[in-house]
Amino acid sequence: MKKLLLFLVVIVSTFSFSHTPLLNISEVENEKGLIQIKGGFDNGESASGETIYLLSDLAYDGNDEVYEEEGGENYFGKFVIYKGELNDKEELVLPKPAMRRYLVVLSAGIGHVVSVKGIALKNDEIENWNKLLENYTSKLGKYQDKFKIKNFK
């Protein structure tokens, strides 16, 4: 009986304290070339300050930074296009990268990693996108040049 009670306590406490990360990516209305990334947890816990990665959806074997974070085994060897954090509103707004196939990853620690496919830059967005890159220089920082990469050579 004690073992059954202990088992039930462990199961109940596990479910009551567990949370699953949620990630959504959408295009920003009225601003061609921008994406809005929103994160959170299914139990309502804030994801503010959690790490967001934009990764090439192709394997990369070069000299630049690759995603090799614990808990993200499925993403090892992916080229890092951008690394940042969700703001106080649990969101991040960025220009779309030039790379057509990319992933957006919310990494909130071991066992709390979720990814979605990125939204590709469209041909009719390129003119505005070039202006956006200039406006987002400080936010993109060292990753600005990586946003311009279309393919690996």
Side-chain angles (χ1 to χ4, degrees), residues 9-101:
V9 168
V10 169
I11 294 296
V12 169
S13 64
T14 299
F15 286 116
S16 64
F17 293 113
S18 68
H19 55 265
T20 303
L22 305 172
L23 182 61
N24 183 45
I25 180 172
S26 60
E27 295 180 289
V28 175
E29 289 185 35
N30 302 322
E31 193 66 66
K32 291 183 176 187
L34 277 183
I35 54 172
Q36 181 180 40
I37 301 163
K38 289 188 174 189
F41 292 97
D42 65 348
N43 66 354
E45 186 178 327
S46 175
S48 174
E50 297 295 353
T51 304
I52 293 290
Y53 289 92
L54 271 62
L55 307 172
S56 163
D57 198 12
L58 304 170
Y60 176 71
D61 188 20
N63 295 330
D64 283 318
E65 180 181 7
V66 294
Y67 183 79
E68 292 190 23
E69 188 166 305
E70 258 188 84
E73 294 174 9
N74 293 333
Y75 306 104
F76 277 19
K78 300 290 187 177
F79 178 77
V80 176
I81 300 168
Y82 178 80
K83 178 182 176 183
E85 294 182 351
L86 295 173
N87 65 17
D88 292 341
K89 296 179 183 177
E90 303 176 283
E91 66 182 23
L92 178 63
V93 176
L94 295 169
K96 295 175 183 177
M99 200 169 288
R100 299 266 182 210
R101 291 178 47 194

Coordinates of all heavy atoms in Angstrom, one line a residue, residues 9-101:
V9 N 1.9 9.7 -5.5 CA 2.5 11.0 -5.2 C 3.5 11.4 -6.2 O 3.5 12.6 -6.7 CB 3.1 11.0 -3.8 CG1 3.9 12.2 -3.5 CG2 2.0 10.8 -2.7
V10 N 4.4 10.5 -6.7 CA 5.4 10.9 -7.7 C 4.7 11.2 -9.0 O 5.1 12.2 -9.6 CB 6.4 9.7 -7.8 CG1 7.2 9.9 -9.1 CG2 7.2 9.5 -6.6
I11 N 3.7 10.5 -9.4 CA 3.0 10.7 -10.7 C 2.3 12.1 -10.6 O 2.4 12.9 -11.6 CB 2.0 9.6 -11.0 CG1 2.8 8.3 -11.3 CG2 1.1 9.9 -12.2 CD1 3.7 8.3 -12.5
V12 N 1.6 12.3 -9.6 CA 0.8 13.6 -9.5 C 1.7 14.8 -9.4 O 1.5 15.8 -10.1 CB -0.1 13.5 -8.2 CG1 -0.7 14.9 -8.0 CG2 -1.2 12.5 -8.4
S13 N 2.8 14.7 -8.7 CA 3.7 15.8 -8.6 C 4.5 16.0 -9.9 O 4.7 17.2 -10.3 CB 4.8 15.6 -7.5 OG 5.6 14.5 -7.7
T14 N 4.8 15.0 -10.6 CA 5.4 15.1 -11.9 C 4.5 15.9 -12.9 O 4.9 16.8 -13.6 CB 5.7 13.7 -12.5 OG1 6.6 13.1 -11.6 CG2 6.4 13.8 -13.9
F15 N 3.2 15.5 -13.0 CA 2.3 16.2 -13.9 C 2.0 17.6 -13.4 O 1.8 18.5 -14.2 CB 1.0 15.4 -14.1 CG 1.2 14.2 -14.9 CD1 1.1 12.9 -14.4 CD2 1.6 14.3 -16.3 CE1 1.3 11.8 -15.2 CE2 1.8 13.2 -17.1 CZ 1.7 11.9 -16.5
S16 N 1.9 17.8 -12.1 CA 1.6 19.2 -11.6 C 2.7 20.2 -11.9 O 2.5 21.4 -12.0 CB 1.2 19.1 -10.2 OG 2.2 18.7 -9.4
F17 N 4.0 19.7 -11.9 CA 5.1 20.6 -12.1 C 5.6 20.6 -13.5 O 6.5 21.4 -13.9 CB 6.2 20.3 -11.1 CG 5.9 20.5 -9.7 CD1 5.7 19.5 -8.8 CD2 5.6 21.8 -9.2 CE1 5.4 19.7 -7.5 CE2 5.3 22.1 -7.9 CZ 5.2 21.0 -7.1
S18 N 5.1 19.8 -14.4 CA 5.7 19.7 -15.7 C 5.0 20.8 -16.6 O 3.9 21.2 -16.3 CB 5.4 18.3 -16.3 OG 4.1 18.1 -16.5
H19 N 5.7 21.2 -17.6 CA 5.2 22.2 -18.5 C 5.9 21.9 -19.9 O 7.0 21.5 -20.0 CB 5.4 23.6 -18.1 CG 6.8 24.0 -17.8 ND1 7.3 23.9 -16.5 CD2 7.9 24.3 -18.5 CE1 8.6 24.2 -16.5 NE2 8.9 24.5 -17.7
T20 N 5.1 22.1 -20.9 CA 5.6 21.9 -22.3 C 5.8 23.3 -23.0 O 4.9 24.1 -22.9 CB 4.5 21.1 -23.0 OG1 4.3 19.9 -22.3 CG2 5.0 20.8 -24.5
P21 N 6.9 23.5 -23.6 CA 7.1 24.7 -24.3 C 6.2 24.8 -25.6 O 6.0 23.8 -26.2 CB 8.6 24.7 -24.7 CG 9.0 23.3 -24.7 CD 8.1 22.6 -23.7
L22 N 5.8 26.0 -25.9 CA 4.9 26.3 -27.0 C 5.7 27.3 -27.9 O 6.3 28.3 -27.4 CB 3.6 26.8 -26.6 CG 2.8 26.0 -25.6 CD1 1.5 26.7 -25.2 CD2 2.4 24.6 -26.3
L23 N 5.6 27.2 -29.2 CA 6.2 28.1 -30.1 C 5.3 28.4 -31.3 O 4.8 27.5 -31.9 CB 7.6 27.5 -30.5 CG 8.5 28.3 -31.5 CD1 8.9 29.6 -30.8 CD2 9.7 27.5 -31.9
N24 N 5.2 29.7 -31.7 CA 4.4 30.0 -32.8 C 5.2 31.1 -33.6 O 5.9 32.0 -33.1 CB 3.1 30.6 -32.4 CG 2.2 31.0 -33.6 OD1 2.1 30.2 -34.5 ND2 1.6 32.2 -33.5
I25 N 5.2 31.0 -34.9 CA 5.8 31.9 -35.8 C 4.8 32.4 -36.8 O 4.0 31.6 -37.4 CB 7.1 31.3 -36.5 CG1 7.7 32.3 -37.4 CG2 6.7 30.1 -37.2 CD1 9.1 31.9 -37.9
S26 N 4.8 33.7 -37.0 CA 3.8 34.3 -38.0 C 4.5 35.5 -38.7 O 5.4 36.0 -38.2 CB 2.5 34.7 -37.3 OG 2.8 35.7 -36.3
E27 N 3.9 35.9 -39.8 CA 4.3 37.1 -40.5 C 3.7 38.3 -39.8 O 2.6 38.2 -39.4 CB 3.9 37.0 -42.0 CG 4.7 35.9 -42.7 CD 4.3 35.8 -44.2 OE1 3.2 35.4 -44.5 OE2 5.2 36.1 -45.0
V28 N 4.5 39.4 -39.8 CA 4.0 40.6 -39.2 C 3.1 41.3 -40.3 O 3.6 41.5 -41.4 CB 5.1 41.5 -38.8 CG1 4.6 42.9 -38.3 CG2 5.9 40.9 -37.7
E29 N 1.9 41.6 -39.9 CA 1.0 42.3 -40.8 C 1.5 43.7 -41.2 O 2.0 44.4 -40.3 CB -0.4 42.4 -40.2 CG -1.2 41.0 -40.1 CD -2.6 41.2 -39.6 OE1 -3.2 42.2 -40.0 OE2 -3.0 40.3 -38.9
N30 N 1.3 44.1 -42.4 CA 1.7 45.4 -42.9 C 3.2 45.7 -42.8 O 3.6 46.8 -42.9 CB 0.9 46.5 -42.1 CG -0.6 46.3 -42.2 OD1 -1.1 46.0 -43.2 ND2 -1.3 46.6 -41.1
E31 N 4.0 44.6 -42.8 CA 5.4 44.8 -42.8 C 6.1 43.7 -43.5 O 6.4 42.7 -42.8 CB 6.0 45.0 -41.4 CG 7.4 45.5 -41.3 CD 7.6 46.9 -41.8 OE1 7.1 47.9 -41.2 OE2 8.2 47.1 -42.9
K32 N 6.2 43.8 -44.8 CA 6.7 42.6 -45.6 C 8.2 42.3 -45.2 O 9.0 43.2 -45.1 CB 6.7 43.0 -47.1 CG 5.3 43.1 -47.6 CD 5.4 43.3 -49.1 CE 4.0 43.3 -49.7 NZ 4.1 43.4 -51.2
G33 N 8.4 41.0 -44.9 CA 9.7 40.5 -44.6 C 10.0 40.3 -43.1 O 11.1 39.9 -42.8
L34 N 9.0 40.6 -42.3 CA 9.2 40.5 -40.8 C 8.5 39.2 -40.3 O 7.4 38.9 -40.8 CB 8.7 41.7 -40.0 CG 9.6 42.9 -39.9 CD1 8.9 43.9 -39.0 CD2 10.9 42.6 -39.3
I35 N 9.1 38.6 -39.3 CA 8.4 37.5 -38.6 C 8.3 37.8 -37.1 O 9.1 38.5 -36.6 CB 9.1 36.1 -38.8 CG1 10.6 36.2 -38.4 CG2 8.9 35.6 -40.2 CD1 11.3 34.9 -38.3
Q36 N 7.2 37.3 -36.5 CA 7.0 37.4 -35.1 C 7.0 36.0 -34.5 O 6.3 35.1 -34.9 CB 5.6 38.1 -34.8 CG 5.4 38.2 -33.3 CD 4.1 38.9 -33.0 OE1 3.1 38.6 -33.7 NE2 4.0 39.8 -32.1
I37 N 7.9 35.9 -33.5 CA 8.1 34.6 -32.8 C 7.5 34.7 -31.4 O 7.9 35.7 -30.7 CB 9.6 34.2 -32.8 CG1 10.2 34.1 -34.2 CG2 9.8 32.9 -32.0 CD1 11.7 34.2 -34.2
K38 N 6.6 33.9 -31.1 CA 6.0 33.9 -29.7 C 6.2 32.5 -29.1 O 6.1 31.5 -29.7 CB 4.5 34.1 -29.8 CG 4.1 35.6 -30.2 CD 2.7 35.8 -30.1 CE 2.4 37.3 -30.3 NZ 1.0 37.6 -30.0
G39 N 6.6 32.6 -27.8 CA 6.8 31.4 -27.0 C 6.1 31.4 -25.7 O 5.6 32.5 -25.3
G40 N 6.0 30.3 -25.1 CA 5.3 30.2 -23.8 C 5.4 28.8 -23.3 O 6.0 27.9 -23.9
F41 N 4.6 28.5 -22.3 CA 4.5 27.2 -21.7 C 3.0 26.9 -21.6 O 2.2 27.8 -21.3 CB 5.2 27.0 -20.4 CG 6.7 27.1 -20.5 CD1 7.4 28.3 -20.3 CD2 7.4 26.0 -20.9 CE1 8.7 28.4 -20.4 CE2 8.8 26.1 -21.0 CZ 9.5 27.3 -20.8
D42 N 2.6 25.6 -21.7 CA 1.2 25.2 -21.7 C 0.6 25.4 -20.3 O -0.6 25.5 -20.2 CB 1.0 23.8 -22.2 CG 1.7 22.8 -21.3 OD1 2.5 23.1 -20.4 OD2 1.4 21.6 -21.4
N43 N 1.4 25.6 -19.3 CA 0.8 25.8 -18.0 C 0.7 27.3 -17.6 O 0.4 27.7 -16.5 CB 1.6 25.1 -16.9 CG 3.0 25.6 -16.7 OD1 3.5 26.5 -17.5 ND2 3.7 25.1 -15.8
G44 N 1.0 28.2 -18.6 CA 0.9 29.6 -18.4 C 2.2 30.3 -17.9 O 2.3 31.5 -17.8
E45 N 3.2 29.5 -17.6 CA 4.5 30.0 -17.1 C 5.1 30.9 -18.2 O 5.0 30.6 -19.4 CB 5.4 28.9 -16.7 CG 6.7 29.3 -16.1 CD 7.6 28.1 -15.7 OE1 7.0 27.1 -15.3 OE2 8.8 28.3 -15.7
S46 N 5.8 31.9 -17.8 CA 6.4 32.9 -18.7 C 7.6 32.2 -19.4 O 8.4 31.5 -18.8 CB 6.8 34.1 -18.0 OG 7.5 35.0 -18.9
A47 N 7.8 32.5 -20.7 CA 8.9 32.1 -21.4 C 9.8 33.3 -21.7 O 10.8 33.3 -22.5 CB 8.5 31.5 -22.7
S48 N 9.6 34.4 -21.0 CA 10.4 35.6 -21.2 C 11.9 35.3 -20.8 O 12.1 34.6 -19.8 CB 9.9 36.7 -20.2 OG 10.7 37.8 -20.2
G49 N 12.8 35.7 -21.7 CA 14.2 35.4 -21.4 C 14.7 34.1 -22.0 O 15.9 33.8 -21.9
E50 N 13.8 33.3 -22.4 CA 14.2 32.0 -23.0 C 14.9 32.2 -24.3 O 14.6 33.1 -25.1 CB 13.0 31.0 -23.1 CG 12.4 30.7 -21.8 CD 13.2 29.9 -20.8 OE1 14.4 29.5 -21.2 OE2 12.8 29.7 -19.7
T51 N 15.8 31.2 -24.7 CA 16.6 31.4 -25.9 C 15.9 30.9 -27.1 O 15.2 29.9 -27.2 CB 17.9 30.5 -25.7 OG1 18.6 30.9 -24.5 CG2 18.8 30.7 -26.9
I52 N 16.0 31.7 -28.2 CA 15.5 31.4 -29.5 C 16.6 31.3 -30.5 O 17.6 32.1 -30.5 CB 14.5 32.6 -30.0 CG1 13.3 32.6 -29.1 CG2 14.2 32.4 -31.5 CD1 12.3 31.5 -29.3
Y53 N 16.6 30.3 -31.3 CA 17.6 30.1 -32.3 C 16.9 30.1 -33.7 O 15.8 29.5 -33.8 CB 18.3 28.7 -32.2 CG 19.2 28.5 -31.0 CD1 18.8 28.1 -29.8 CD2 20.6 28.9 -31.2 CE1 19.7 27.9 -28.8 CE2 21.5 28.7 -30.2 CZ 21.0 28.2 -28.9 OH 21.9 28.0 -27.9
L54 N 17.5 30.6 -34.7 CA 17.1 30.4 -36.0 C 18.3 29.6 -36.6 O 19.5 30.0 -36.5 CB 17.0 31.7 -36.8 CG 15.6 32.4 -36.8 CD1 15.2 32.8 -35.4 CD2 15.6 33.6 -37.7
L55 N 18.0 28.4 -37.2 CA 19.0 27.5 -37.6 C 18.7 27.1 -39.1 O 17.6 27.0 -39.5 CB 18.9 26.2 -36.8 CG 19.0 26.3 -35.3 CD1 18.7 25.0 -34.6 CD2 20.4 26.8 -34.9
S56 N 19.8 26.9 -39.8 CA 19.6 26.4 -41.2 C 19.0 25.0 -41.0 O 19.3 24.2 -40.1 CB 21.0 26.2 -41.8 OG 20.9 25.4 -42.9
D57 N 18.1 24.7 -42.0 CA 17.5 23.3 -41.9 C 18.4 22.3 -42.7 O 17.9 21.3 -43.0 CB 16.1 23.4 -42.5 CG 15.2 22.2 -42.1 OD1 15.7 21.5 -41.2 OD2 14.2 22.0 -42.8
L58 N 19.6 22.7 -43.0 CA 20.5 21.8 -43.7 C 21.7 21.6 -42.7 O 22.1 22.5 -42.0 CB 21.0 22.4 -45.0 CG 19.9 22.8 -46.0 CD1 20.5 23.7 -47.1 CD2 19.3 21.6 -46.5
A59 N 22.3 20.4 -42.8 CA 23.5 20.2 -42.0 C 24.6 21.1 -42.5 O 24.7 21.4 -43.7 CB 23.9 18.7 -42.1
Y60 N 25.5 21.5 -41.6 CA 26.6 22.4 -42.0 C 27.9 21.9 -41.4 O 28.0 21.5 -40.2 CB 26.3 23.8 -41.4 CG 27.4 24.8 -41.6 CD1 27.6 25.3 -42.8 CD2 28.1 25.2 -40.5 CE1 28.6 26.2 -43.0 CE2 29.1 26.2 -40.7 CZ 29.3 26.7 -41.9 OH 30.3 27.6 -42.1
D61 N 28.9 21.8 -42.2 CA 30.2 21.3 -41.7 C 31.3 22.4 -42.1 O 32.1 22.2 -42.9 CB 30.5 20.0 -42.4 CG 31.8 19.4 -41.8 OD1 32.2 19.7 -40.7 OD2 32.4 18.5 -42.5
G62 N 31.2 23.5 -41.4 CA 32.1 24.6 -41.7 C 32.7 25.2 -40.4 O 32.6 24.5 -39.4
N63 N 33.2 26.4 -40.5 CA 33.9 27.0 -39.3 C 33.0 27.9 -38.5 O 33.4 28.2 -37.4 CB 35.0 27.9 -39.9 CG 36.1 27.0 -40.5 OD1 36.3 25.9 -40.2 ND2 36.8 27.6 -41.5
D64 N 31.8 28.2 -38.9 CA 30.9 29.1 -38.1 C 30.2 28.3 -37.0 O 30.2 27.0 -37.0 CB 29.8 29.7 -39.0 CG 30.4 30.9 -39.8 OD1 31.2 31.7 -39.2 OD2 30.1 31.0 -40.9
E65 N 29.6 29.0 -36.1 CA 28.9 28.4 -34.9 C 27.8 27.5 -35.4 O 27.0 27.8 -36.3 CB 28.3 29.5 -34.1 CG 27.5 29.1 -32.9 CD 26.9 30.3 -32.1 OE1 27.0 31.4 -32.6 OE2 26.4 30.0 -31.0
V66 N 27.7 26.3 -34.7 CA 26.6 25.4 -35.0 C 25.9 25.1 -33.7 O 26.4 25.3 -32.6 CB 27.1 24.0 -35.6 CG1 27.6 24.3 -37.0 CG2 28.1 23.3 -34.8
Y67 N 24.6 24.7 -33.8 CA 23.8 24.4 -32.6 C 24.2 23.0 -32.0 O 24.0 22.0 -32.7 CB 22.3 24.4 -33.0 CG 21.4 24.2 -31.9 CD1 21.0 25.3 -31.1 CD2 20.8 23.0 -31.7 CE1 20.1 25.1 -30.0 CE2 19.8 22.8 -30.7 CZ 19.5 23.9 -29.8 OH 18.6 23.7 -28.8
E68 N 24.7 23.0 -30.8 CA 25.1 21.8 -30.2 C 24.8 21.9 -28.7 O 25.6 21.6 -27.8 CB 26.6 21.5 -30.4 CG 26.9 21.2 -31.8 CD 28.3 20.7 -32.0 OE1 28.9 20.2 -31.0 OE2 28.8 20.8 -33.1
E69 N 23.6 22.3 -28.4 CA 23.2 22.5 -27.0 C 22.6 21.2 -26.5 O 21.9 20.5 -27.2 CB 22.1 23.6 -26.9 CG 21.8 24.0 -25.5 CD 21.0 25.3 -25.4 OE1 21.5 26.3 -26.0 OE2 19.9 25.3 -24.9
E70 N 22.9 20.9 -25.2 CA 22.3 19.7 -24.6 C 20.8 19.7 -24.7 O 20.2 20.7 -24.5 CB 22.8 19.6 -23.1 CG 23.9 18.6 -22.8 CD 24.1 18.5 -21.4 OE1 23.4 17.7 -20.7 OE2 25.0 19.2 -20.9
G71 N 20.3 18.5 -25.0 CA 18.8 18.4 -25.1 C 18.3 18.7 -26.5 O 17.2 18.5 -26.8
G72 N 19.2 19.1 -27.4 CA 18.8 19.4 -28.7 C 19.5 18.5 -29.7 O 19.9 18.9 -30.8
E73 N 19.6 17.2 -29.4 CA 20.3 16.3 -30.2 C 19.9 16.3 -31.7 O 20.7 16.1 -32.6 CB 20.2 14.9 -29.7 CG 20.8 14.7 -28.4 CD 20.6 13.3 -27.7 OE1 20.0 12.5 -28.4 OE2 20.9 13.2 -26.6
N74 N 18.6 16.5 -32.0 CA 18.1 16.5 -33.3 C 18.6 17.7 -34.1 O 18.5 17.8 -35.3 CB 16.6 16.5 -33.4 CG 16.0 15.3 -32.8 OD1 16.6 14.2 -32.9 ND2 14.8 15.4 -32.3
Y75 N 19.3 18.7 -33.5 CA 19.7 19.9 -34.2 C 21.2 20.0 -34.2 O 21.7 21.0 -34.7 CB 19.1 21.1 -33.5 CG 17.6 21.0 -33.4 CD1 17.0 20.7 -32.2 CD2 16.8 21.2 -34.5 CE1 15.7 20.6 -32.1 CE2 15.4 21.0 -34.4 CZ 14.9 20.8 -33.2 OH 13.5 20.6 -33.1
F76 N 21.9 19.0 -33.7 CA 23.4 19.1 -33.8 C 23.9 19.3 -35.2 O 23.4 18.7 -36.2 CB 24.0 17.8 -33.3 CG 24.1 17.7 -31.8 CD1 23.4 18.5 -31.0 CD2 25.0 16.8 -31.2 CE1 23.5 18.4 -29.6 CE2 25.1 16.7 -29.8 CZ 24.3 17.5 -29.0
G77 N 24.8 20.2 -35.4 CA 25.4 20.4 -36.7 C 24.6 21.4 -37.5 O 24.9 21.5 -38.7
K78 N 23.6 22.1 -37.0 CA 22.8 23.1 -37.8 C 23.5 24.4 -37.6 O 23.8 24.9 -36.5 CB 21.4 23.1 -37.3 CG 20.6 21.8 -37.4 CD 20.3 21.4 -38.8 CE 19.4 20.2 -38.8 NZ 19.1 19.8 -40.1
F79 N 23.7 25.1 -38.7 CA 24.2 26.4 -38.8 C 23.3 27.4 -38.0 O 22.1 27.5 -38.2 CB 24.4 26.9 -40.2 CG 24.9 28.2 -40.5 CD1 26.3 28.5 -40.3 CD2 24.1 29.2 -40.8 CE1 26.8 29.7 -40.6 CE2 24.6 30.5 -41.1 CZ 26.0 30.8 -40.9
V80 N 23.9 28.2 -37.1 CA 23.2 29.2 -36.3 C 23.1 30.5 -37.1 O 24.1 31.2 -37.4 CB 23.8 29.5 -35.0 CG1 23.1 30.6 -34.2 CG2 23.9 28.2 -34.1
I81 N 21.9 30.8 -37.5 CA 21.6 32.1 -38.3 C 21.5 33.2 -37.3 O 21.9 34.3 -37.5 CB 20.4 32.0 -39.1 CG1 20.5 30.9 -40.2 CG2 20.1 33.3 -39.8 CD1 19.2 30.5 -40.9
Y82 N 20.8 32.9 -36.1 CA 20.6 33.9 -35.1 C 20.4 33.2 -33.7 O 19.8 32.1 -33.7 CB 19.3 34.7 -35.4 CG 19.0 35.8 -34.4 CD1 19.6 37.0 -34.4 CD2 18.0 35.5 -33.5 CE1 19.3 38.0 -33.4 CE2 17.6 36.5 -32.5 CZ 18.3 37.7 -32.5 OH 18.0 38.6 -31.6
K83 N 20.8 33.9 -32.7 CA 20.5 33.5 -31.3 C 20.1 34.7 -30.5 O 20.8 35.7 -30.5 CB 21.8 32.8 -30.7 CG 21.6 32.4 -29.3 CD 22.9 31.8 -28.8 CE 22.8 31.4 -27.3 NZ 24.1 30.9 -26.8
G84 N 19.0 34.6 -29.9 CA 18.5 35.7 -29.1 C 17.6 35.2 -28.0 O 17.5 34.0 -27.7
E85 N 16.8 36.2 -27.4 CA 15.9 35.8 -26.3 C 14.5 36.5 -26.5 O 14.4 37.5 -27.2 CB 16.4 36.4 -25.0 CG 17.7 35.7 -24.5 CD 18.2 36.2 -23.2 OE1 17.6 37.2 -22.7 OE2 19.1 35.6 -22.6
L86 N 13.5 35.8 -26.0 CA 12.2 36.4 -26.0 C 12.1 37.5 -25.0 O 12.7 37.5 -23.9 CB 11.2 35.3 -25.6 CG 11.0 34.1 -26.5 CD1 10.1 33.0 -25.9 CD2 10.5 34.6 -27.9
N87 N 11.4 38.6 -25.4 CA 11.3 39.8 -24.5 C 10.2 39.5 -23.4 O 9.7 38.4 -23.2 CB 11.0 41.0 -25.4 CG 9.6 40.9 -26.0 OD1 8.7 40.2 -25.7 ND2 9.4 41.8 -27.0
D88 N 9.9 40.6 -22.7 CA 9.0 40.5 -21.6 C 7.6 40.1 -22.0 O 6.8 39.6 -21.2 CB 8.9 41.8 -20.8 CG 10.2 42.2 -20.1 OD1 11.0 41.2 -19.9 OD2 10.4 43.3 -19.7
K89 N 7.3 40.3 -23.3 CA 6.0 39.9 -23.8 C 6.0 38.5 -24.4 O 5.1 38.1 -25.1 CB 5.5 40.9 -24.9 CG 5.2 42.3 -24.3 CD 4.8 43.2 -25.5 CE 4.6 44.7 -24.9 NZ 4.3 45.6 -26.0
E90 N 7.2 37.8 -24.2 CA 7.4 36.5 -24.7 C 7.4 36.4 -26.2 O 6.9 35.5 -26.8 CB 6.3 35.5 -24.2 CG 6.3 35.4 -22.7 CD 5.2 34.5 -22.1 OE1 4.1 35.0 -22.1 OE2 5.6 33.4 -21.7
E91 N 7.9 37.5 -26.9 CA 8.0 37.5 -28.3 C 9.3 38.1 -28.8 O 10.1 38.7 -28.0 CB 6.8 38.3 -28.9 CG 6.8 39.8 -28.6 CD 5.6 40.5 -29.1 OE1 4.6 39.9 -29.4 OE2 5.8 41.7 -29.2
L92 N 9.6 37.9 -30.1 CA 10.7 38.4 -30.8 C 10.3 38.7 -32.2 O 9.8 37.8 -32.9 CB 11.9 37.3 -30.7 CG 13.2 37.6 -31.4 CD1 13.9 38.8 -30.7 CD2 14.1 36.4 -31.3
V93 N 10.6 39.9 -32.7 CA 10.3 40.2 -34.0 C 11.6 40.4 -34.8 O 12.5 41.2 -34.3 CB 9.5 41.5 -34.1 CG1 9.2 42.0 -35.5 CG2 8.1 41.3 -33.4
L94 N 11.8 39.8 -35.9 CA 13.0 39.8 -36.7 C 12.7 39.8 -38.2 O 11.6 39.3 -38.6 CB 13.8 38.5 -36.4 CG 14.4 38.3 -35.1 CD1 14.9 36.9 -35.0 CD2 15.5 39.3 -34.8
P95 N 13.6 40.3 -39.0 CA 13.5 40.1 -40.5 C 13.6 38.6 -40.7 O 14.3 37.8 -40.0 CB 14.7 40.8 -41.1 CG 15.2 41.7 -40.0 CD 14.8 41.1 -38.7
K96 N 13.0 38.1 -41.8 CA 13.2 36.7 -42.2 C 14.6 36.6 -42.7 O 15.1 37.5 -43.4 CB 12.2 36.4 -43.4 CG 10.8 36.4 -43.0 CD 9.9 36.2 -44.3 CE 8.5 36.3 -44.0 NZ 7.6 36.1 -45.2
P97 N 15.2 35.5 -42.5 CA 16.6 35.2 -43.1 C 16.4 34.9 -44.6 O 15.4 34.5 -45.0 CB 17.1 34.0 -42.3 CG 15.9 33.4 -41.7 CD 14.9 34.4 -41.5
A98 N 17.5 35.2 -45.3 CA 17.5 34.9 -46.8 C 17.4 33.4 -47.1 O 16.9 33.0 -48.1 CB 18.7 35.5 -47.4
M99 N 17.9 32.6 -46.1 CA 17.9 31.2 -46.3 C 16.5 30.7 -46.3 O 15.7 31.0 -45.4 CB 18.7 30.5 -45.2 CG 19.2 29.1 -45.5 SD 20.3 28.6 -44.2 CE 21.8 29.6 -44.6
R100 N 16.1 30.0 -47.4 CA 14.7 29.5 -47.6 C 14.3 28.5 -46.5 O 13.1 28.5 -46.1 CB 14.5 29.0 -49.0 CG 14.7 30.0 -50.0 CD 13.5 30.7 -50.4 NE 13.8 31.6 -51.5 CZ 13.1 32.7 -51.7 NH1 12.1 33.0 -50.9 NH2 13.4 33.5 -52.7
R101 N 15.2 27.6 -46.2 CA 14.8 26.5 -45.3 C 15.5 26.7 -44.0 O 16.8 26.6 -43.9 CB 15.2 25.1 -45.9 CG 14.4 24.8 -47.1 CD 14.8 23.5 -47.7 NE 15.0 22.4 -46.7 CZ 15.6 21.3 -47.0 NH1 16.1 21.0 -48.2 NH2 15.7 20.3 -46.0

